[in-house]
Amino acid sequence: MTMSKVVCAVLFGCLSFAASGCVSEDATKSTSEEGAVASVASELGVCPATTALKIDRQRRASDILAYILGDDSKAPSNFWVKLNADDIRRDIASGQLIPSRGVSKTACGLPAAYVRFDCEASSNGFCVSAEYNDFGFLASDAEEIWPGITPFMHVSGGGGDTAYVEFDPEPAVLTSSLRGGSGASASAVFVNSGAPTSARKWSSTWTSCTSNCPAGGQPCSASTLYAGSISSSEIQKSGNDYKCL
């Protein structure tokens, strides 16, 4: 990833990525929207000042997470963010980063799910290695393009071997019941943006699938959920194998 910054400097004359003229993904974003990222401090970043921007940044972080978890349709259109996300995908595929989920929380006052990527336990010093830096680049590059996204995707937990990386994506609420066998689906909407989606009934252990498969990052549950229930779990994809994280 350090090389990607060097490439930017050589090809585009960027003195540094943060101060460069590299084009922002939000090229049509107004000056007033930029200014709406006010000094409203969150635990791990600066929250956007408006609810609409908070929802937008959480939705973008959720899409980046879905891509990392295997949904190619959510590939970031920005070159650097996609490059960094691809590095994280490789770190997960190689076993260097281990995804898990914890208790749901709030981020910038919004309901949020929680996905954590820990360093592989036997890899001493991993959290200060290139793989750990991959996520730092992803978060900082995304923040350059979408100011205020950091509270929803960041490095956390201290430093060195105690650090981890974390996403706080948007959970979904079911609008119909999710029941039946593995593979069943139910309609749902994301709780903050109201965007429509569907949830899948899926095992919490790796299960092979070749047809009618779920998407990486899709809301899921290993057990029955009824209409009105919240799903804070996501599908993780690896090749033809899937599990509900």
Side-chain angles (χ1 to χ4, degrees), residues 42-238:
S42 73
E43 179 186 2
L44 295 159
V46 177
C47 294
T50 69
T51 299
L53 267 181
K54 291 177 185 178
I55 291 172
D56 176 81
R57 295 327 190 225
Q58 186 185 39
R59 186 71 253 140
R60 292 181 187 274
S62 299
D63 285 345
I64 293 171
L65 175 63
Y67 176 69
I68 288 172
L69 292 177
D71 185 354
D72 289 341
S73 73
K74 295 294 197 303
S77 55
N78 177 268
F79 174 82
W80 297 112
V81 175
K82 182 179 183 300
L83 189 69
N84 297 330
D86 286 337
D87 287 339
I88 299 298
R89 278 179 138 189
R90 284 189 288 271
D91 294 339
I92 296 169
S94 67
Q96 302 272 22
L97 282 176
I98 311 297
S100 63
R101 65 170 306 277
V103 177
S104 298
K105 53 183 286 189
T106 60
C108 292
L110 298 179
Y114 176 92
V115 176
R116 171 171 162 166
F117 294 87
D118 286 288
C119 300
E120 195 278 318
S122 65
S123 181
N124 293 331
F126 167 72
C127 282
V128 292
S129 71
E131 289 84 356
Y132 176 73
N133 288 333
D134 287 341
F135 192 86
F137 287 135
L138 174 64
S140 62
D141 287 352
E143 181 69 20
E144 285 290 326
I145 299 159
W146 303 294
I149 200 173
T150 303
F152 304 104
M153 46 180 290
H154 46 256
V155 177
S156 185
D161 293 335
T162 65
Y164 53 88
V165 293
E166 175 186 331
F167 277 85
D168 297 309
E170 189 177 10
V173 59
L174 273 67
T175 55
S176 63
S177 294
L178 180 63
R179 52 189 169 189
S182 182
S185 63
S187 58
V189 296
F190 288 107
V191 298
N192 299 319
S193 65
T197 185
S198 63
R200 294 295 294 269
K201 184 90 171 287
W202 206 264
S203 172
S204 58
T205 58
W206 289 110
T207 303
S208 178
C209 180
T210 56
S211 64
N212 191 29
C213 302
Q218 185 174 7
C220 63
S221 176
S223 59
T224 297
L225 290 179
Y226 295 99
S229 299
I230 299 291
S231 170
S232 296
S233 297
E234 297 85 13
I235 292 287
Q236 182 184 358
K237 177 182 183 292
S238 178

